[in-house]
Amino acid sequence: MMMHNGNNGYGNGVMTSASGTGTTSSSPSTNPQSQGLKTYFKTPEGRYKLHYEKTHPPGLLPYSHGKSVSQITLAHLKERATQAGTALSSSSSSASTSSGVRYAAARLLGVGGGNGSRTLSFGGGNGTSKAGNGTSRSGSFAGSNGSHSMLNSNYDGKGTYVIFNVGDSLFISDLNSQDKDPIKSIHFSNSNPICHAFDPEAKDGHDFLIGLASGDVYSVSLRQQLQDVGKKLVGAQHYNKEGSVSTSRCTSIAWVPKADGAFVVAHADGNLYVYEKGKDGTGDTSFPVVKDQTQFSVAHARSSKSNPIARWHICESSINSIALSTDGAYLATVGRDGYLRVFDYSKEQLICGGRSYYGALLCCAWSVDGKYILTGGEDDLVTVWSMEDRKVVAWGEGHNSWVSGVAFDSYWSSPTSDGTEENVMYRFGSVGQDTQLLLWDLSMDEIVVPLRRCPPGGSPTFSTGSQSSHWDSICPVGTLQPAPSMRDVPKLSPLVAHRVHSEPLSGINFTDESILTGCREGHVKIWMRPGNSESQSSNSEAPVGNITKEQQTMPGKTGASSYKSVHM
């Protein structure tokens, strides 16, 4: 295991990334970035094959890549409401027009300005109204730009999209298209987009969040951005305008599930703010000074009209990534100080947490059932935390450099599952600056766990079976644990270790039919699951993955697995 890293290239921000490749060819083999890399990798259930690649347009200056971290967001737009769909179809020439034609038409029709649309550039722009607390609107919510906006009439209103940031721009690509170039780009004049998030259950049209290096935050309708052919945000609501609440850079942003438009924004100064979407926030947005920078504290807004509505002081240093459990009950944060912290979101209470083996933590993710949390960071380890035991229950060893992205595969189920066994198996993935994608199988029933801590000069006692009956007594609520001893934690070996990019990786996402990997240079690769690549090659227009919550499955139930090894 390596305890150093030659070239980070990301600072201390969130380390999830973005995009495709540098050519417009649809064949992966023609991309110089892919030369020397295999276009498939094997798993026990079959081959994952490289299907598509996505990228930013050619011509971006190399230095622009290093100005901000990159992140991949997947967004699935459902069928529009009947009334809105009718209005759109009346001006649409064809709903089946390819994304490549749409993008070309957009460029010809004036992408980049000069089309007279009411757009929002960073820091104000035309058509904005400034509010006392730094919350403002540009134009209005989706669909009300009228004659002032030039719409892309060929946009068909539904589909799955890959959104990623490179430099000072956001790029939107059609996941189901062979085109490598994005169908839409959004430019920010005075700051770089750092993080973004999509809410498939949004009620009022504003379903997409963007956090900037300046600390500014926007909410917009993704559908409206796709309809407009300009390169500026349209119909945006602006939060923390001109640093009215915080001048610290945004590092991570997330919608709160089942909270009707609430979202949270983490910053590099160790603070996290809770916002309510659509709230103009005309009240006082100032918060009291944090008395003890080393302690967790929550301060609420002084006015019911204020937005943000609360400030959570998490730690002294940067919060690198945040993640909410699928039911919205718990919020996990990881930071530069190396600690994972887990909070009860509604009670605003620190529940548990602990320190990495070494260095900062850079990424985190929840299992779909909320029982486990993955973290990755500068110790080159993938750490599995148990919410039941409030402890580290496994370390994944296999990366040779910092782990920059982790995710559970909520669509995978064990091929040996018959639905009757008690033991649950989880599949998860990780990517790192060693350019590798690693896949892991976790079966808690097979993990060898310590019965008790090793006494001085003695040897630890181990047992197989359910970890919950063998770990030490559960620590008190709110306890942050020190890093465990290396000999006390069971070790996992990866099921798959595959070099997927030539540049350090920074993001991983799963869909029902594919795995997406992204590198820091702005390239995204889409790897089709076994059995799907053949059907996709015969029908290139078939969707390669919807990411609706309804499709996510619980972890597969299975007996003993022969897919992975566990060692101490």
Side-chain angles (χ1 to χ4, degrees):
M1 178 176 62
M2 294 178 62
M3 293 304 173
H4 64 277
N5 190 305
N7 180 18
N8 178 9
Y10 290 95
N12 290 299
V14 184
M15 299 189 59
T16 24
S17 172
S19 21
T21 60
T23 71
T24 56
S25 169
S26 61
S27 172
S29 62
T30 63
N31 176 18
Q33 198 258 351
S34 298
Q35 291 180 2
L37 301 176
K38 291 184 178 180
T39 58
Y40 66 90
F41 59 87
K42 296 179 180 179
T43 66
E45 57 263 27
R47 286 188 177 189
Y48 283 74
K49 296 182 180 180
L50 180 59
H51 190 58
Y52 291 152
E53 298 182 49
K54 304 295 181 183
T55 187
H56 51 77
L60 281 183
L61 297 176
Y63 68 81
S64 68
H65 296 191
K67 289 184 178 180
S68 63
V69 297
S70 296
Q71 180 184 19
I72 300 172
T73 292
L74 287 173
H76 180 67
L77 288 179
K78 301 176 183 178
E79 189 80 50
R80 293 190 58 161
T82 304
Q83 183 178 0
T86 303
L88 179 65
S89 62
S90 65
S91 62
S92 173
S93 60
S94 172
S96 61
T97 304
S98 71
S99 60
V101 174
R102 292 200 300 268
Y103 185 59
R107 286 182 287 187
L108 291 172
L109 289 171
V111 171
N115 62 354
S117 63
R118 293 177 62 194
T119 60
L120 174 68
S121 61
F122 175 81
N126 50 355
T128 62
S129 57
K130 184 175 181 180
N133 74 334
T135 302
S136 64
R137 295 179 186 235
S138 169
S140 61
F141 285 99
S144 55
N145 281 358
S147 60
H148 296 285
S149 176
M150 183 175 290
L151 298 180
N152 182 357
S153 61
N154 286 328
Y155 173 62
D156 55 18
K158 63 179 179 179
T160 304
Y161 299 91
V162 182
I163 306 165
F164 55 93
N165 55 292
V166 178
D168 59 4
S169 298
L170 270 178
F171 299 100
I172 306 174
S173 290
D174 186 345
L175 179 63
N176 302 319
S177 168
Q178 297 186 39
D179 294 333
K180 290 185 177 182
D181 283 344
I183 61 174
K184 173 76 176 182
S185 63
I186 300 172
H187 175 71
F188 297 82
S189 12
N190 295 328
S191 188
N192 290 347
I194 299 295
C195 48
H196 30 89
F198 177 76
D199 179 12
E201 307 301 326
K203 295 179 180 179
D204 67 356
H206 272 216
D207 50 15
F208 190 61
L209 298 170
I210 308 164
L212 273 60
S214 61
D216 290 64
V217 177
Y218 296 102
S219 69
V220 298
S221 162
L222 179 59
R223 194 185 305 272
Q224 188 178 7
Q225 308 314 305
L226 289 165
Q227 289 175 330
D228 189 88
V229 297
K231 283 191 175 181
K232 302 293 183 181
L233 289 178
V234 292
Q237 183 153 3
H238 193 172
Y239 310 85
N240 190 30
K241 186 176 182 179
E242 299 174 353
S244 61
V245 178
S246 173
T247 57
S248 177
R249 72 192 292 250
C250 298
T251 57
S252 190
I253 195 167
W255 294 101
V256 181
K258 308 183 187 304
D260 196 21
F263 62 91
V264 291
V265 184
H267 291 264
D269 61 1
N271 288 319
L272 178 147
Y273 292 90
V274 182
Y275 289 85
E276 291 182 350
K277 179 182 68 171
K279 191 174 184 179
D280 284 329
T282 55
D284 182 7
T285 58
S286 62
F287 291 92
V289 176
V290 177
K291 294 181 180 179
D292 187 349
Q293 292 284 336
T294 65
Q295 297 297 314
F296 168 65
S297 64
V298 177
H300 296 97
R302 297 171 179 175
S303 167
S304 60
K305 297 181 179 180
S306 299
N307 207 14
I309 61 173
R311 180 197 65 201
W312 293 24
H313 177 71
I314 306 296
C315 54
E316 290 184 273
S317 55
S318 175
I319 304 169
N320 286 337
S321 183
I322 60 176
L324 284 120
S325 58
T326 53
D327 60 3
Y330 295 102
L331 168 69
T333 71
V334 293
R336 187 179 186 180
D337 62 0
Y339 278 95
L340 164 73
R341 294 171 173 88
V342 182
F343 302 89
D344 184 308
Y345 177 76
S346 62
K347 294 180 180 179
E348 299 177 325
Q349 180 183 19
L350 176 64
I351 299 298
C352 61
R355 206 190 187 294
S356 66
Y357 184 77
Y358 171 86
L361 289 175
L362 304 169
C363 51
C364 59
W366 286 88
S367 62
V368 70
D369 58 10
K371 292 183 178 181
Y372 298 98
I373 307 170
L374 299 174
T375 65
E378 295 177 359
D379 55 11
D380 306 350
L381 297 170
V382 178
T383 301
V384 184
W385 296 78
S386 167
M387 279 296 290
E388 178 184 3
D389 298 290
R390 298 177 189 164
K391 291 180 181 288
V392 177
V393 294
W395 269 332
E397 294 182 326
H399 282 287
N400 299 314
S401 189
W402 295 0
V403 179
S404 48
V406 290
F408 279 95
D409 185 352
S410 58
Y411 304 94
W412 178 86
S413 61
S414 169
T416 61
S417 173
D418 58 9
T420 60
E421 299 291 338
E422 303 239 345
N423 182 35
V424 176
M425 179 178 289
Y426 298 80
R427 167 72 57 85
F428 59 90
S430 61
V431 294
Q433 294 196 31
D434 56 4
T435 72
Q436 289 194 103
L437 162 68
L438 271 58
L439 295 181
W440 315 76
D441 281 351
L442 174 68
S443 179
M444 297 309 302
D445 194 49
E446 296 175 30
I447 283 187
V448 180
V449 297
L451 281 171
R452 61 185 68 88
R453 291 191 179 278
C454 174
S459 300
T461 304
F462 303 103
S463 172
T464 59
S466 174
Q467 84 288 359
S468 61
S469 61
H470 299 303
W471 283 109
D472 300 335
S473 60
I474 295 178
C475 60
V477 171
T479 302
L480 292 179
Q481 303 176 59
S485 169
M486 183 63 74
R487 68 189 303 176
D488 285 346
V489 180
K491 313 302 188 303
L492 297 176
S493 294
L495 168 71
V496 169
H498 182 65
R499 184 170 176 257
V500 290
H501 291 249
S502 60
E503 295 293 333
L505 297 175
S506 50
I508 178 172
N509 296 74
F510 291 96
T511 75
D512 58 341
E513 294 185 353
S514 63
I515 302 176
L516 278 70
T517 57
C519 78
R520 70 180 184 183
E521 295 300 318
H523 306 288
V524 172
K525 293 186 177 183
I526 301 165
W527 305 86
M528 298 303 295
R529 296 181 188 270
N532 287 326
S533 55
E534 289 79 7
S535 60
Q536 289 298 327
S537 61
S538 63
N539 182 9
S540 61
E541 293 301 318
V544 298
N546 292 344
I547 51 174
T548 55
K549 294 180 181 178
E550 293 78 4
Q551 289 179 299
Q552 294 185 345
T553 60
M554 297 298 286
K557 292 185 177 181
T558 180
S561 167
S562 60
Y563 294 167
K564 63 171 181 57
S565 61
V566 181
H567 58 279
M568 294 298 296

